[in-house]
Amino acid sequence: MDYYYDWFDQSIYYGNVSRDYALPYVLEVNHVGIAHKGIVIGALAVFCLTLLSLLYKLIRWASGGYQKRILRFLNDNPMTSIELLEEDYRRASIKLDTVVIGRTYIFNICAAAFTVNRISDIIWAYEHTVKDKNKISYYIVLGTSQKEKIKISVKNEEEIQLILGHFIEMKYPIIIGYDKVLEDAYQNQPDEFRAAASRMYSGESQS
């Protein structure tokens, strides 16, 4: 009780107003201040998790975690050098916050999943959106000839259309768009899917 009296004596509340009205309310809710203790604890937990996530990403960069992915790509592609990657990145025609598209390579520069892929390995590209109560998340999905799907987060619909339009403009042998028939062919008939993609601009009709 003395704690509450001392708090009100030092606050903007004075005399009978604090003792007759404010003090009974505080005693009933059992806390002093604007936010309930649970809200404060929740906010602190979110802050700590955010801080830990940032520290993890910083450690990954400082320890070379992301650079290792580039080195692994170079090891798997001995005809490629770091100089070629740097030149393609520098001269890229599309540079967004999470993806850079050069003439030969696609750089997924999202901090959580840094990857490099040859454009010639991409045979399928389509838009994917995830809706929840508060926002819409936008992704572009790239399917490779090795049946690997690369999902890249982008800001909005405009960025997705910019990337897909670029593939069409450059006449890359990439099938654009999504439906269940394409999904089934990609998963179960990869040779036919690759062949259909390769015929995109060869003058042959797709089957």
Side-chain angles (χ1 to χ4, degrees):
M1 182 68 70
D2 290 339
Y3 165 75
Y4 291 112
Y5 277 111
D6 291 342
W7 185 86
F8 277 106
D9 288 340
Q10 297 172 16
S11 71
I12 62 173
Y13 304 101
Y14 298 99
N16 293 332
V17 173
S18 65
R19 296 183 179 227
D20 295 342
Y21 299 100
L23 181 55
Y25 170 76
V26 169
L27 291 174
E28 181 178 351
V29 300
N30 196 31
H31 80 280
V32 175
I34 298 175
H36 191 275
K37 182 171 68 174
I39 298 175
V40 174
I41 293 174
L44 287 174
V46 171
F47 173 78
C48 290
L49 289 173
T50 302
L51 182 60
L52 287 173
S53 176
L54 291 174
L55 287 174
Y56 170 77
K57 292 177 181 178
L58 179 62
I59 291 171
R60 290 278 294 178
W61 276 108
S63 64
Y66 296 114
Q67 290 87 336
K68 288 179 181 178
R69 298 185 184 184
I70 298 178
L71 294 176
R72 189 181 303 120
F73 176 83
L74 293 174
N75 184 63
D76 294 338
N77 298 270
M79 299 301 293
T80 302
S81 67
I82 190 67
E83 290 78 16
L84 289 175
L85 291 178
E86 290 175 347
E87 179 68 9
D88 199 59
Y89 187 98
R90 185 180 65 83
R91 301 180 64 179
S93 54
I94 292 182
K95 290 186 177 182
L96 304 176
D97 288 347
T98 56
V99 60
V100 172
I101 303 178
R103 294 190 63 85
T104 308
Y105 304 99
I106 295 178
F107 303 85
N108 176 10
I109 56 176
C110 177
F114 189 100
T115 57
V116 181
N117 293 90
R118 288 181 180 274
I119 295 177
S120 59
D121 288 337
I122 307 300
I123 59 175
W124 191 20
Y126 60 88
E127 172 184 353
H128 177 65
T129 57
V130 178
K131 299 179 181 179
D132 60 27
K133 294 181 180 179
N134 300 317
K135 68 174 184 177
I136 301 177
S137 299
Y138 297 89
Y139 302 91
I140 184 163
V141 180
L142 306 175
T144 73
S145 55
Q146 293 79 35
K147 294 179 64 175
E148 175 190 6
K149 285 190 177 182
I150 304 157
K151 188 165 73 172
I152 302 175
S153 174
V154 295
K155 284 183 177 179
N156 48 43
E157 174 76 21
E158 287 74 18
E159 289 193 350
I160 292 175
Q161 296 307 318
L162 176 65
I163 295 170
L164 297 179
H166 176 74
F167 291 156
I168 295 172
E169 180 183 358
M170 298 301 292
K171 296 187 176 181
Y172 291 126
I174 298 173
I175 295 176
I176 305 297
Y178 179 89
D179 62 39
K180 291 184 178 180
V181 174
L182 288 174
E183 180 70 49
D184 181 71
Y186 182 77
Q187 297 294 339
N188 302 309
Q189 299 174 302
D191 293 337
E192 288 81 354
F193 196 100
R194 283 192 292 269
S198 66
R199 292 195 298 267
M200 287 288 293
Y201 299 101
S202 65
E204 301 180 45
S205 61
Q206 281 185 257
S207 58

mmCIF file of all heavy atoms in Angstrom, residues 183-198:
data_model
loop_
_atom_site.group_PDB
_atom_site.id
_atom_site.type_symbol
_atom_site.label_atom_id
_atom_site.label_comp_id
_atom_site.label_asym_id
_atom_site.label_seq_id
_atom_site.Cartn_x
_atom_site.Cartn_y
_atom_site.Cartn_z
ATOM 1 N N GLU A 183 2.313 -27.855 -63.300
ATOM 2 C CA GLU A 183 2.914 -28.404 -62.083
ATOM 3 C C GLU A 183 3.096 -29.913 -62.205
ATOM 4 O O GLU A 183 4.155 -30.461 -61.858
ATOM 5 C CB GLU A 183 2.038 -28.089 -60.879
ATOM 6 C CG GLU A 183 2.566 -28.625 -59.553
ATOM 7 C CD GLU A 183 3.795 -27.896 -59.075
ATOM 8 O OE1 GLU A 183 3.781 -26.658 -59.052
ATOM 9 O OE2 GLU A 183 4.791 -28.580 -58.734
ATOM 10 N N ASP A 184 2.093 -30.587 -62.713
ATOM 11 C CA ASP A 184 2.173 -32.034 -62.885
ATOM 12 C C ASP A 184 3.257 -32.411 -63.891
ATOM 13 O O ASP A 184 4.025 -33.351 -63.664
ATOM 14 C CB ASP A 184 0.817 -32.567 -63.346
ATOM 15 C CG ASP A 184 0.835 -34.077 -63.527
ATOM 16 O OD1 ASP A 184 0.895 -34.798 -62.516
ATOM 17 O OD2 ASP A 184 0.808 -34.534 -64.688
ATOM 18 N N ALA A 185 3.322 -31.663 -64.993
ATOM 19 C CA ALA A 185 4.346 -31.956 -65.997
ATOM 20 C C ALA A 185 5.736 -31.698 -65.451
ATOM 21 O O ALA A 185 6.671 -32.472 -65.700
ATOM 22 C CB ALA A 185 4.091 -31.111 -67.245
ATOM 23 N N TYR A 186 5.883 -30.627 -64.696
ATOM 24 C CA TYR A 186 7.194 -30.289 -64.126
ATOM 25 C C TYR A 186 7.673 -31.374 -63.165
ATOM 26 O O TYR A 186 8.858 -31.733 -63.155
ATOM 27 C CB TYR A 186 7.109 -28.940 -63.421
ATOM 28 C CG TYR A 186 8.418 -28.462 -62.822
ATOM 29 C CD1 TYR A 186 9.417 -27.923 -63.617
ATOM 30 C CD2 TYR A 186 8.643 -28.562 -61.451
ATOM 31 C CE1 TYR A 186 10.614 -27.481 -63.066
ATOM 32 C CE2 TYR A 186 9.832 -28.130 -60.888
ATOM 33 C CZ TYR A 186 10.817 -27.583 -61.701
ATOM 34 O OH TYR A 186 12.006 -27.159 -61.143
ATOM 35 N N GLN A 187 6.753 -31.878 -62.349
ATOM 36 C CA GLN A 187 7.121 -32.865 -61.340
ATOM 37 C C GLN A 187 7.270 -34.271 -61.910
ATOM 38 O O GLN A 187 8.149 -35.028 -61.492
ATOM 39 C CB GLN A 187 6.075 -32.877 -60.215
ATOM 40 C CG GLN A 187 5.970 -31.580 -59.443
ATOM 41 C CD GLN A 187 7.234 -31.270 -58.655
ATOM 42 O OE1 GLN A 187 8.046 -32.156 -58.357
ATOM 43 N NE2 GLN A 187 7.427 -29.998 -58.313
ATOM 44 N N ASN A 188 6.404 -34.636 -62.885
ATOM 45 C CA ASN A 188 6.336 -36.027 -63.332
ATOM 46 C C ASN A 188 6.847 -36.273 -64.741
ATOM 47 O O ASN A 188 7.109 -37.421 -65.104
ATOM 48 C CB ASN A 188 4.886 -36.519 -63.225
ATOM 49 C CG ASN A 188 4.349 -36.407 -61.805
ATOM 50 O OD1 ASN A 188 4.970 -36.863 -60.862
ATOM 51 N ND2 ASN A 188 3.192 -35.776 -61.660
ATOM 52 N N GLN A 189 6.969 -35.222 -65.530
ATOM 53 C CA GLN A 189 7.467 -35.370 -66.898
ATOM 54 C C GLN A 189 8.542 -34.309 -67.172
ATOM 55 O O GLN A 189 8.391 -33.458 -68.046
ATOM 56 C CB GLN A 189 6.315 -35.224 -67.903
ATOM 57 C CG GLN A 189 5.225 -36.273 -67.738
ATOM 58 C CD GLN A 189 4.046 -36.014 -68.649
ATOM 59 O OE1 GLN A 189 3.425 -34.954 -68.603
ATOM 60 N NE2 GLN A 189 3.742 -36.980 -69.504
ATOM 61 N N PRO A 190 9.610 -34.353 -66.414
ATOM 62 C CA PRO A 190 10.616 -33.287 -66.520
ATOM 63 C C PRO A 190 11.244 -33.173 -67.906
ATOM 64 O O PRO A 190 11.543 -32.060 -68.360
ATOM 65 C CB PRO A 190 11.648 -33.680 -65.461
ATOM 66 C CG PRO A 190 11.442 -35.147 -65.243
ATOM 67 C CD PRO A 190 9.985 -35.381 -65.428
ATOM 68 N N ASP A 191 11.444 -34.299 -68.584
ATOM 69 C CA ASP A 191 12.052 -34.242 -69.922
ATOM 70 C C ASP A 191 11.138 -33.518 -70.907
ATOM 71 O O ASP A 191 11.600 -32.683 -71.697
ATOM 72 C CB ASP A 191 12.363 -35.651 -70.427
ATOM 73 C CG ASP A 191 13.450 -36.332 -69.612
ATOM 74 O OD1 ASP A 191 14.238 -35.610 -68.972
ATOM 75 O OD2 ASP A 191 13.502 -37.571 -69.608
ATOM 76 N N GLU A 192 9.844 -33.834 -70.857
ATOM 77 C CA GLU A 192 8.893 -33.172 -71.741
ATOM 78 C C GLU A 192 8.782 -31.689 -71.407
ATOM 79 O O GLU A 192 8.649 -30.843 -72.307
ATOM 80 C CB GLU A 192 7.520 -33.834 -71.636
ATOM 81 C CG GLU A 192 7.431 -35.212 -72.268
ATOM 82 C CD GLU A 192 7.982 -36.307 -71.358
ATOM 83 O OE1 GLU A 192 8.525 -35.982 -70.286
ATOM 84 O OE2 GLU A 192 7.872 -37.493 -71.736
ATOM 85 N N PHE A 193 8.834 -31.366 -70.122
ATOM 86 C CA PHE A 193 8.739 -29.965 -69.707
ATOM 87 C C PHE A 193 9.941 -29.176 -70.222
ATOM 88 O O PHE A 193 9.792 -28.072 -70.757
ATOM 89 C CB PHE A 193 8.663 -29.874 -68.176
ATOM 90 C CG PHE A 193 8.176 -28.539 -67.673
ATOM 91 C CD1 PHE A 193 6.864 -28.370 -67.270
ATOM 92 C CD2 PHE A 193 9.031 -27.450 -67.587
ATOM 93 C CE1 PHE A 193 6.405 -27.150 -66.810
ATOM 94 C CE2 PHE A 193 8.588 -26.227 -67.121
ATOM 95 C CZ PHE A 193 7.273 -26.079 -66.733
ATOM 96 N N ARG A 194 11.118 -29.753 -70.067
ATOM 97 C CA ARG A 194 12.330 -29.093 -70.565
ATOM 98 C C ARG A 194 12.273 -28.916 -72.078
ATOM 99 O O ARG A 194 12.682 -27.871 -72.612
ATOM 100 C CB ARG A 194 13.573 -29.889 -70.163
ATOM 101 C CG ARG A 194 13.987 -29.714 -68.711
ATOM 102 C CD ARG A 194 15.372 -30.285 -68.462
ATOM 103 N NE ARG A 194 15.374 -31.740 -68.593
ATOM 104 C CZ ARG A 194 15.163 -32.572 -67.562
ATOM 105 N NH1 ARG A 194 14.926 -32.086 -66.360
ATOM 106 N NH2 ARG A 194 15.190 -33.877 -67.742
ATOM 107 N N ALA A 195 11.772 -29.933 -72.763
ATOM 108 C CA ALA A 195 11.676 -29.844 -74.216
ATOM 109 C C ALA A 195 10.706 -28.747 -74.636
ATOM 110 O O ALA A 195 10.963 -27.992 -75.585
ATOM 111 C CB ALA A 195 11.235 -31.192 -74.788
ATOM 112 N N ALA A 196 9.581 -28.637 -73.929
ATOM 113 C CA ALA A 196 8.608 -27.593 -74.237
ATOM 114 C C ALA A 196 9.207 -26.210 -74.006
ATOM 115 O O ALA A 196 8.992 -25.284 -74.800
ATOM 116 C CB ALA A 196 7.357 -27.774 -73.382
ATOM 117 N N ALA A 197 9.985 -26.065 -72.934
ATOM 118 C CA ALA A 197 10.623 -24.777 -72.659
ATOM 119 C C ALA A 197 11.643 -24.432 -73.740
ATOM 120 O O ALA A 197 11.730 -23.284 -74.184
ATOM 121 C CB ALA A 197 11.294 -24.818 -71.289
ATOM 122 N N SER A 198 12.390 -25.433 -74.190
ATOM 123 C CA SER A 198 13.427 -25.175 -75.191
ATOM 124 C C SER A 198 12.832 -24.785 -76.535
ATOM 125 O O SER A 198 13.500 -24.165 -77.368
ATOM 126 C CB SER A 198 14.332 -26.393 -75.349
ATOM 127 O OG SER A 198 13.617 -27.486 -75.901
#
